[in-house]
Amino acid sequence: DSTGIALLNGGLNVYKKKGKVSELERFIKDQKLDSHIGMGHTRWATHGPPSDVNAHPHQSNSGDIALIHNGIIENYASIKEELKTRGHEFLSDTDTEVLVHLIDDIQRTEKCDLPEAVRWALASVVGAYAIVVLDRKQPDLMVAARKSSPLVIGIGDGEHFVASDATPIIEHTKNVVYLEDGEIAVIDREKGLKIRN
């Protein structure tokens, strides 16, 4: 029902659109799309109706962090209320936006890097997820994690791919790693792939 992409190319640029992938393609045709790191998502609505604002990726209030998510965050309402008391403003009706705000809040209050903030945030959520997270302040890093929702990492020649299954990856590489429940993958342009539990 909606699609979106986030690209790190001199900033964190997010483009999303209600409707089919072709709608997004028309919307971004005149944008600067070259990037060394990016992510895309197609959404089937669970929280909130199909709309541009409910499409993934979602961003933190600061605009520094973007996140895509397959699954459901069951305790999003209580987390959202707590974050509102700390000044967070929400634009969408989704459970996913709550998670990106939580990661941003932890990163700022605990002064930690993105992988650590993701780890802390995921310890607070109940539900199922396969997520990918980008941070404008750490432009050579991508973090992915899963619990009860599939996530596959393809390892190519100087490149990595993350998807919900191997089908879109195998045209680029046959070397894949299936993340286990509770694992977090940190993909660094210089250091490669590291998996944490």
Side-chain angles (χ1 to χ4, degrees):
D1 60 45
S2 61
T3 59
I5 60 171
L7 303 170
L8 284 168
N9 54 4
L12 178 59
N13 296 297
V14 174
Y15 308 100
K16 46 193 198 168
K17 204 74 180 145
K18 176 184 172 184
K20 299 182 184 213
V21 173
S22 58
E23 295 292 322
L24 179 65
E25 288 174 332
R26 278 193 288 281
F27 179 65
I28 64 173
K29 69 179 172 121
D30 295 325
Q31 300 297 327
K32 179 184 172 204
L33 301 176
D34 59 313
S35 176
H36 68 275
I37 187 168
M39 61 185 176
H41 188 270
T42 55
R43 176 178 186 254
W44 298 102
T46 52
H47 287 93
S51 68
D52 291 353
V53 76
N54 285 338
H56 296 216
H58 288 284
Q59 286 182 273
S60 59
N61 279 159
S62 66
D64 289 337
I65 300 173
L67 180 142
I68 57 177
H69 166 228
N70 285 338
I72 185 167
I73 306 301
E74 295 171 14
N75 62 335
Y76 81 96
S78 59
I79 294 170
K80 186 175 189 175
E81 289 310 308
E82 174 63 27
L83 289 170
K84 280 182 175 178
T85 66
R86 297 209 288 271
H88 289 261
E89 295 178 15
F90 294 87
L91 303 176
S92 79
D93 304 311
T94 69
D95 55 334
T96 301
E97 187 184 11
V98 172
L99 184 53
V100 75
H101 281 256
L102 180 60
I103 292 167
D104 182 57
D105 190 75
I106 290 168
Q107 193 177 44
R108 284 185 293 110
T109 58
E110 301 299 326
K111 308 285 189 259
C112 59
D113 65 6
L114 183 64
E116 190 66 5
V118 168
R119 186 183 71 79
W120 282 33
L122 294 178
S124 301
V125 301
V126 175
Y129 54 79
I131 63 168
V132 178
V133 190
L134 297 178
D135 184 347
R136 182 188 60 78
K137 299 180 305 300
Q138 294 179 273
D140 291 327
L141 203 66
M142 177 181 277
V143 177
R146 76 162 289 240
K147 178 182 175 191
S148 303
S149 196
L151 199 65
V152 181
I153 299 172
I155 304 168
D157 184 17
E159 58 189 355
H160 292 83
F161 306 89
V162 181
S164 55
D165 70 52
T167 306
I169 293 174
I170 55 175
E171 68 181 87
H172 304 285
T173 180
K174 304 236 182 306
N175 188 8
V176 297
V177 174
Y178 290 87
L179 283 190
E180 298 294 329
D181 263 2
E183 289 185 331
I184 298 173
V186 179
I187 304 167
D188 187 296
R189 277 182 78 201
E190 301 299 320
K191 300 174 187 170
L193 171 66
K194 290 200 180 342
I195 296 175
R196 305 173 177 181
N197 59 25

